[in-house]
C-alpha cells in the first residue's frame, strides 16, 4: 500500500520542483533587470540631460506596460497554458532590455560640460589661464539660432531617451504573466501548508536578482560610458563627479540574455500536473477533518488558514472552454472579486505602501549621494550588498515563522502589522541622522571666513572673481585647500593651472587669497584641484549609523512580506485566484508604481541649487541639491505614505477579525443544528435550517470577505 502511494507522487514532486526552480530563475532575471534599471537612473538622467521628474516617467513606463495587458493576461491566462505564457513573457522582456540599450549605439560620444581647455601648450605643463579678461577661450555651448540648436540636438541624440522609455515599457508587458500565473500555478498544486515556504523561497531567490543587479550597476557606474572609444587619460572627471556617466547600457545587454535563458524551461512544462498529485493531500485533509469532527470545527478552519466557506463538493476534471465563454464570464468575475471587502482593503493598503516603497527605492541612491556625500557607485553597491541581503533574510524568516507556528490569516495579519510598524519606527530614526550641506561658495554659503567674502543674492559672483568674466551657467567644480567648493576655477579666481586631465591643479586663486589675509599662509593654500570637496569627517560617522538603521529596517519590513501575501491568497476564492493576483498587481503598479517616481522626482527637482547645461544649451540634469531640503522632502513623503499604510493595516485587521467572528458563529450554529437533528428530526426541519444558514453565509462571504 505504501509503495503504491509513493509511486504516483514522485513525478508530481519532480515537476512541481522543476516549475519552482524555473520560476525562481525568472524571478531572479526580471528582478536583476528591474533593479539594474533603478541603479542606472542617475546615469541615464545625466546621459540624456533630463530632470528627475522626466526620469520618473521613464521609470514608470514599466508599470504602464503592465497596465496595458495584465487584466487580460491574469484572467484569460489562468484558463490557457500558463507555463508557455510565462515563456512568451520572458522573450518579450529580453526584447525590451535589448531595446533599452539601443540608444547607446546611435548616440555620439558623451561630451560633458566644462569651461576648461585641457590642451597644454607645447613643451610646457602650463595650460590656458582659468581667470580671463574675456571669454574667447571658454567652451560655451549655447547656440545662436533655433535651427542650429535643433541640428545640435539631432547630432547629440538627446531625444533617444524615448527608446529607453519604450524598452522599459516592453519589459513591463513581458513581466505581466510571471507573477499571477506562476504563483497561482504553484498554489494550485502545492500543499496548503507548504505554500508559505514555497513563496518565501521564491521571493528569496527573487531578492538575489536585485542584489546582483545593484552590484553590477555599481560596477558599470565606475566604467566610463564610452569605454573603448575614448582616451580615458584625457577625461578630467571621475566617477564621483556629478557629470560622470557610467556604462549604463552594458547591464541591459546582460539582463536581456538572462531573461532569454530563463524562459526556455517553460516551453517543456505541462499546463496541469497529474491528478494524483493533489489526491494524497486532499485525502490527508479529509482524514484530519474526520478525526477532529467531534472537536470544535472552528479549529479546523483556523488550521486551514482560510476565510472561505467550506466546499465539500468533489473537484471535477477541467473542461475545455472557449474564448467567448471566458469573455462572457469576465465581468461577473470582476464583480464578485471587487465585492470582497477584505480584498479591497488589501488593494488600498498595497497601493499606499507601494507608493512609499517605489518612491524611496528609486531615489535612495541619489538621497545617499546628496545628503551623505557618497558617490553613485558606492551608494548602489551598499544597497545591493547590505540592504537587499537583509530583505532576503527577512523574507525567509517570515516564511519560517508562518510554517513553524502555522499561523492563521489573523496571525499572518498580526505579523504583517508588527513588522510594518517597527520598520516605520526605524524610518523615523533616519530623520535625526543628518549631515551639513556641502560648502559651495555662492550656493550653500554666501560668505567665507572672518574677512567675509560675500556673494550676490542667488549668484556666484563676488568681488574676488568679478574681473574674470566667468560663465555662470557651467558646472566645473574645484575643491580649494580651505575645504570650500567653487563652481569653476574661474569663479574661484584662479590665475594659473598645471597638468592635464584629472591631474589638473589651479594656483593663485584670488577668492582664497582674501581668506588668508594676515595669516601669512603659503601660496600653496591658494590652490585648488578638480572635483567637489568631500564632506566633513563626522558625516562619514553619521552615514554608518544611517546604513545600520536602514539595513535593520529592511530586514524587519521584509519579515511581513510573506504573511501579507498569505492574507491575500487566503481571502479570495480559488476560481478567482489568478484574476485577483493579476488585478492586485495591475492596480498596485498603476497607482503605486507609475505616480511615485514622477511626483517624488518633481518635488526633488524643487530642491536643486545648480542645474547643468545641455550640450546644445538649455537646462540639463541637476548638479547640486540643497541637502537639507532634499532630506526633508524625501523623508517627509516616505513618512506620510508609510504612516497611512500602517493605519490601513489596522483597518484591515479589524475587518478580518469581524469575518473570523462570523465563522465562529457559523461553526457553533452548525454544531447545535447537528445535535438537534440527531436527537429529533422527524420532518427534516433542522437540516433545512442548516442549509439556509450555509447559503446565507456563502453569500455573505462573497460580499464581506
Amino acid at each position: 500500500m505504501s509503495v503504491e502511494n509513493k509511486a504516483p507522487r514522485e513525478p508530481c514532486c519532480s515537476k512541481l520542483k522543476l516549475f519552482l526552480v524555473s520560476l525562481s530563475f525568472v524571478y531572479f532575471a526580471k528582478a536583476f533587470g528591474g533593479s539594474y534599471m533603478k541603479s542606472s537612473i542617475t546615469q541615464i538622467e545625466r546621459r540624456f540631460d533630463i530632470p528627475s521628474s522626466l526620469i520618473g516617467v521613464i521609470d514608470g513606463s514599466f508599470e504602464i506596460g503592465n497596465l496595458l495587458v495584465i487584466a487580460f493576461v491574469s484572467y484569460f491566462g489562468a484558463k490557457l497554458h500558463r507555463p508557455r505564457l510565462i515563456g512568451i513573457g520572458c522573450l518579450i522582456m529580453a526584447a525590451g532590455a535589448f531595446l533599452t540599450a539601443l540608444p547607446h549605439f546611435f548616440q555620439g560620444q558623451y561630451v560633458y560640460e566644462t569651461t576648461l581647455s585641457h590642451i597644454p601648450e607645447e613643451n610646457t605643463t602650463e595650460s590656458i589661464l582659468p581667470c580671463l579678461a574675456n571669454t574667447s577661450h571658454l567652451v560655451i555651448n549655447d547656440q545662436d539660432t533655433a535651427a542650429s540648436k535643433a541640428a545640435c540636438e539631432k547630432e547629440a541624440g538627446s531625444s533617444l531617451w524615448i527608446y529607453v522609455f519604450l524598452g522599459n515599457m516592453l519589459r513591463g508587458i513581458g513581466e505581466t504573466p510571471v507573477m499571477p500565473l506562476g504563483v497561482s500555478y504553484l498554489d494550485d498544486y502545492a500543499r496548503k501548508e507548504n505554500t508559505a515556504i514555497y513563496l518565501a523561497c521564491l521571493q528569496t531567490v527573487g531578492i538575489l536578482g536585485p542584489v546582483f543587479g545593484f552590484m553590477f550597476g555599481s560596477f558599470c557606474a565606475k566604467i566610463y560610458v564610452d569605454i573603448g572609444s575614448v582616451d580615458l587619460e584625457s577625461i578630467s572627471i571621475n566617477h564621483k563627479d556629478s557629470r560622470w556617466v557610467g556604462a549604463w547600457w552594458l547591464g541591459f545587454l546582460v539582463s536581456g540574455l538572462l531573461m532569454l535563458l530563463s524562459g526556455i524551461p517553460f516551453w517543456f512544462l505541462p499546463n496541469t500536473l497529474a491528478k494524483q498529485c493533489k489526491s494524497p493531500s486532499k485525502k490527508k485533509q479529509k482524514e484530519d477533518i474526520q478525526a477532529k469532527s467531534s472537536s470544535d470545527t472552528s479549529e479546523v478552519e483556523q488550521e486551514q488558514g482560510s476565510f472561505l466557506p467550506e466546499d465539500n463538493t468533489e473537484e471535477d476534471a477541467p473542461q475545455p472552454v472557449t474564448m467567448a465563454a471566458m469573455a462572457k464570464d469576465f465581468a461577473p468575475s470582476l464583480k464578485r472579486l471587487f465585492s470582497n471587502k477584505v480584498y479591497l482593503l488589501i488593494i488600498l493598503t498595497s497601493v499606499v505602501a507601494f507608493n512609499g516603497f517605489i518612491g524611496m527605492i528609486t531615489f535612495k541612491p541619489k538621497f545617499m549621494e546628496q545628503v551623505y556625500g557618497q558617490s553613485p557607485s558606492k551608494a548602489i553597491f551598499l544597497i545591493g550588498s547590505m540592504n537587499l541581503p537583509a530583505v532576503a533574510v527577512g523574507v525567509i524568516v517570515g516564511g519560517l515563522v508562518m510554517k513553524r507556528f502555522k499561523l492563521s490569516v489573523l496571525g499572518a495579519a498580526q505579523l504583517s502589522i508588527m513588522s510594518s510598524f517597527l520598520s516605520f519606527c526605524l524610518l523615523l530614526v533616519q530623520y535625526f541622522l543628518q549631515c551639513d550641506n556641502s560648502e559651495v561658495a555662492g550656493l550653500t554659503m554666501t560668505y567665507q571666513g572672518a574677512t567675509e567674502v560675500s556673494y550676490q543674492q542667488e549668484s556666484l559672483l563676488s568681488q574676488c572673481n568679478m574681473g574674470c568674466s566667468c560663465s555662470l551657467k557651467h558646472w566645473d567644480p574645484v575643491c580649494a585647500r580651505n575645504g570650500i567648493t567653487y563652481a569653476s576655477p574661474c569663479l574661484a579666481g584662479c590665475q594659473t593651472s598645471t597638468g592635464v586631465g584629472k591631474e589638473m591643479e589651479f594656483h593663485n586663486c584670488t577668492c582664497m587669497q582674501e581668506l588668508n589675509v594676515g595669516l601669512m599662509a603659503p601660496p600653496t593654500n591658494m590652490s585648488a584641484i578638480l572635483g567637489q570637496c568631500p564632506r566633513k569627517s563626522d558625516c562619514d560617522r553619521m552615514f554608518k549609523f544611517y546604513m545600520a538603521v536602514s539595513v535593520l529596517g529592511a530586514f524587519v519590513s521584509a519579515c511581513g512580506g510573506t504573511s501579507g501575501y498569505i492574507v491575500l491568497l487566503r481571502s479570495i476564492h480559488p476560481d478567482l485566484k489568478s484574476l485577483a493576483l493579476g488585478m492586485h498587481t495591475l492596480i498596485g503598479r498603476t497607482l503605486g508604481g507609475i505616480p511615485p517616481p514622477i511626483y517624488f522626482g518633481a518635488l526633488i527637482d524643487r530642491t536643486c541649487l545648480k542645474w547643468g547645461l545641455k550640450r546644445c544649451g538649455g537646462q540639463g540634469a541637476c548638479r547640486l541639491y540643497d541637502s537639507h531640503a532634499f532630506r526633508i522632502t524625501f523623508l517627509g513623503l516616505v513618512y506620510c505614505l508609510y504612516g497611512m499604510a500602517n493605519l490601513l493595516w489596522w483597518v484591515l485587521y479589524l475587518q478580518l477579525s469581524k469575518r473570523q467572528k462570523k465563522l465562529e458563529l457559523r461553526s457553533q450554529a452548525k454544531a447545535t443544528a447537528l445535535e438537534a437533528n440527531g436527537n429529533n428530526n422527524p420532518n427534516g426541519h433542522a437540516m433545512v435550517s442548516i442549509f439556509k444558514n450555509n447559503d446565507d453565509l456563502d453569500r455573505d462571504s462573497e460580499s464581506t470577505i
Side-chain angles (χ1 to χ4, degrees):
M1 178 68 72
S2 60
V3 176
E4 292 178 357
N5 288 338
K6 290 182 180 179
R9 291 173 59 185
E10 187 61 31
C12 167
C13 295
S14 62
K15 289 180 181 178
L16 187 64
K17 289 179 180 178
L18 176 60
F19 182 85
L20 178 63
V21 171
S22 303
L23 190 63
S24 299
F25 188 23
V26 174
Y27 263 64
F28 174 86
K30 75 181 185 66
F32 180 92
S35 60
Y36 184 81
M37 181 69 190
K38 295 289 185 186
S39 69
S40 301
I41 286 294
T42 301
Q43 312 302 322
I44 295 173
E45 178 181 344
R46 294 173 181 176
R47 182 63 182 97
F48 296 99
D49 271 322
I50 52 181
S52 297
S53 55
L54 183 53
I55 204 67
V57 174
I58 294 175
D59 185 66
S61 62
F62 180 87
E63 279 71 28
I64 295 175
N66 264 259
L67 169 64
L68 295 176
V69 297
I70 193 169
F72 300 100
V73 169
S74 302
Y75 179 71
F76 294 107
K79 304 176 186 300
L80 300 175
H81 200 296
R82 287 181 284 185
R84 288 183 183 174
L85 285 177
I86 295 175
I88 293 173
C90 292
L91 288 177
I92 298 175
M93 283 193 290
F98 293 139
L99 181 61
T100 303
L102 200 60
H104 170 74
F105 303 98
F106 291 159
Q107 285 181 303
Q109 290 186 358
Y110 173 57
V111 179
Y112 54 90
E113 60 171 309
T114 180
T115 60
L116 302 173
S117 173
H118 305 296
I119 304 175
E121 296 178 6
E122 191 174 349
N123 298 329
T124 180
T125 59
E126 288 285 329
S127 183
I128 294 177
L129 306 181
C131 181
L132 302 170
N134 58 72
T135 60
S136 59
H137 292 90
L138 292 177
V139 182
I140 303 296
N141 296 318
D142 295 334
Q143 302 298 313
D144 296 329
T145 64
S148 59
K149 182 177 180 180
C152 175
E153 289 180 350
K154 183 177 180 180
E155 180 184 355
S158 58
S159 62
L160 290 178
W161 59 266
I162 296 175
Y163 284 90
V164 181
F165 178 90
L166 295 176
N168 203 35
M169 179 187 293
L170 197 61
R171 195 169 56 84
I173 293 174
E175 194 263 356
T176 303
V178 174
M179 194 281 291
L181 302 187
V183 172
S184 64
Y185 190 94
L186 263 183
D187 193 53
D188 284 345
Y189 301 109
R191 291 186 180 182
K192 297 301 180 185
E193 62 269 22
N194 290 335
T195 301
I197 194 64
Y198 283 170
L199 289 178
C201 292
L202 189 66
Q203 294 178 28
T204 302
V205 175
I207 287 295
L208 295 178
V211 171
F212 285 93
F214 274 95
M215 298 281 280
F216 195 71
S218 174
F219 171 74
C220 292
K222 291 185 179 181
I223 302 175
Y224 191 64
V225 60
D226 294 317
I227 183 71
S229 59
V230 297
D231 181 13
L232 298 180
E233 297 296 328
S234 63
I235 300 173
S236 62
I237 58 176
N238 57 30
H239 68 277
K240 298 180 180 180
D241 196 287
S242 60
R243 295 163 294 170
W244 174 273
V245 175
W248 61 273
W249 50 274
L250 185 59
F252 291 109
L253 298 180
V254 175
S255 65
L257 182 61
L258 284 175
M259 293 170 186
L260 202 61
L261 294 175
S262 66
I264 295 177
F266 292 94
W267 297 98
F268 305 98
L269 285 167
N271 183 28
T272 57
L273 296 180
K275 180 73 173 180
Q276 62 267 25
C277 297
K278 299 172 67 176
S279 58
S281 173
K282 182 180 290 186
K283 181 179 179 181
K284 185 177 184 302
Q285 290 178 0
K286 289 183 178 179
E287 290 174 353
D288 291 341
I289 293 174
Q290 291 173 359
K292 298 181 180 179
S293 59
S294 60
S295 63
D296 190 359
T297 311
S298 63
E299 293 180 1
V300 177
E301 291 181 345
Q302 190 169 357
E303 285 291 325
Q304 295 298 321
S306 176
F307 279 131
L308 305 176
E310 293 180 11
D311 184 8
N312 294 324
T313 59
E314 291 295 329
E315 184 177 336
D316 297 330
Q319 299 294 329
V321 292
T322 63
M323 293 295 292
M326 289 190 292
K328 184 178 180 180
D329 191 50
F330 182 67
S333 297
L334 278 180
K335 183 178 179 180
R336 288 177 57 205
L337 183 62
F338 285 103
S339 63
N340 186 329
K341 293 181 180 179
V342 170
Y343 182 73
L344 290 177
L345 280 172
I346 292 173
I347 290 288
L348 184 58
T349 305
S350 299
V351 165
V352 176
F354 284 169
N355 270 263
F357 174 75
I358 295 297
M360 180 175 64
I361 197 65
T362 300
F363 294 103
K364 187 170 185 175
K366 181 175 284 190
F367 175 80
M368 296 165 66
E369 177 187 359
Q370 296 296 328
V371 175
Y372 297 101
Q374 306 299 314
S375 66
S377 59
K378 184 178 180 181
I380 296 168
F381 176 82
L382 291 174
I383 292 174
S385 61
M386 298 182 68
N387 287 80
L388 295 179
V391 171
V393 175
V395 170
I396 293 177
V397 171
L400 291 176
V401 169
M402 288 285 299
K403 184 175 177 63
R404 171 65 178 82
F405 296 100
K406 298 181 180 179
L407 297 180
S408 64
V409 179
L410 280 179
Q414 290 171 350
L415 179 60
S416 295
I417 290 174
M418 187 183 305
S419 66
S420 179
F421 178 73
L422 291 177
S423 64
F424 179 69
C425 293
L426 290 169
L427 272 174
L428 292 175
V429 174
Q430 295 182 15
Y431 180 81
F432 303 99
L433 305 176
Q434 58 177 313
C435 292
D436 293 332
N437 254 325
S438 298
E439 294 184 337
V440 182
L443 293 176
T444 62
M445 52 187 301
T446 57
Y447 68 92
Q448 303 173 7
T451 57
E452 187 169 324
V453 177
S454 61
Y455 288 85
Q456 300 176 10
Q457 185 68 23
E458 297 182 358
S459 175
L460 298 170
L461 293 178
S462 181
Q463 298 88 346
C464 60
N465 57 29
M466 197 70 74
C468 293
S469 300
C470 303
S471 169
L472 301 181
K473 296 182 179 180
H474 290 81
W475 176 253
D476 208 10
V478 292
C479 178
R481 299 292 184 181
N482 55 19
I484 297 174
T485 300
Y486 295 86
S488 70
C490 182
L491 289 169
C494 300
Q495 304 298 317
T496 60
S497 66
T498 57
V500 294
K502 300 182 183 67
E503 306 301 323
M504 289 190 72
E505 189 169 351
F506 307 92
H507 309 284
N508 301 323
C509 304
T510 57
C511 290
M512 286 169 265
Q513 186 175 13
E514 296 193 29
L515 293 175
N516 295 322
V517 172
L519 299 179
M520 301 298 292
T524 54
N525 280 356
M526 293 185 293
S527 61
I529 58 176
L530 285 172
Q532 277 186 254
C533 294
R535 298 292 182 92
K536 295 179 180 179
S537 58
D538 61 338
C539 190
D540 291 335
R541 181 172 57 87
M542 195 65 67
F543 179 68
K544 293 177 181 177
F545 287 125
Y546 165 78
M547 284 303 303
V549 173
S550 177
V551 170
L552 183 59
F555 168 78
V556 173
S557 178
C559 286
T562 302
S563 57
Y565 221 79
I566 292 297
V567 173
L568 171 62
L569 287 174
R570 296 293 175 261
S571 300
I572 52 181
H573 288 270
D575 60 325
L576 297 176
K577 192 179 300 178
S578 291
L579 180 61
L581 291 173
M583 295 306 298
H584 177 266
T585 305
L586 167 67
I587 298 174
R589 285 183 168 169
T590 302
L591 301 179
I594 298 175
I598 299 174
Y599 66 76
F600 265 77
L603 292 174
I604 286 172
D605 280 341
R606 297 175 66 88
T607 67
C608 183
L609 294 175
K610 177 61 179 176
W611 289 98
L613 186 67
K614 287 185 177 180
R615 177 179 174 184
C616 304
Q619 179 178 292
C622 185
R623 304 302 186 194
L624 180 71
Y625 292 88
D626 182 343
S627 65
H628 290 322
F630 189 107
R631 182 176 61 87
I632 293 173
T633 300
F634 180 78
L635 292 179
L637 285 171
V638 174
Y639 292 159
C640 289
L641 294 168
Y642 274 103
M644 290 175 60
N646 275 273
L647 291 176
L648 288 171
W649 260 116
W650 280 106
V651 175
L652 175 60
Y653 180 76
L654 292 176
Q655 186 66 30
L656 293 173
S657 300
K658 180 181 177 181
R659 178 58 185 163
Q660 179 66 19
K661 290 179 181 178
K662 288 185 178 181
L663 287 175
E664 291 174 355
L665 290 175
R666 174 188 178 180
S667 299
Q668 293 175 2
K670 182 188 295 185
T672 303
L674 286 172
E675 183 179 355
N677 183 62
N679 294 334
N680 183 20
N681 187 22
N683 300 318
H685 295 297
M687 190 62 68
V688 172
S689 176
I690 295 174
F691 292 148
K692 275 188 171 182
N693 192 31
N694 267 343
D695 292 340
D696 292 340
L697 284 168
D698 288 348
R699 285 194 297 269
D700 180 67
S701 70
E702 291 286 342
S703 59
T704 62
I705 292 178

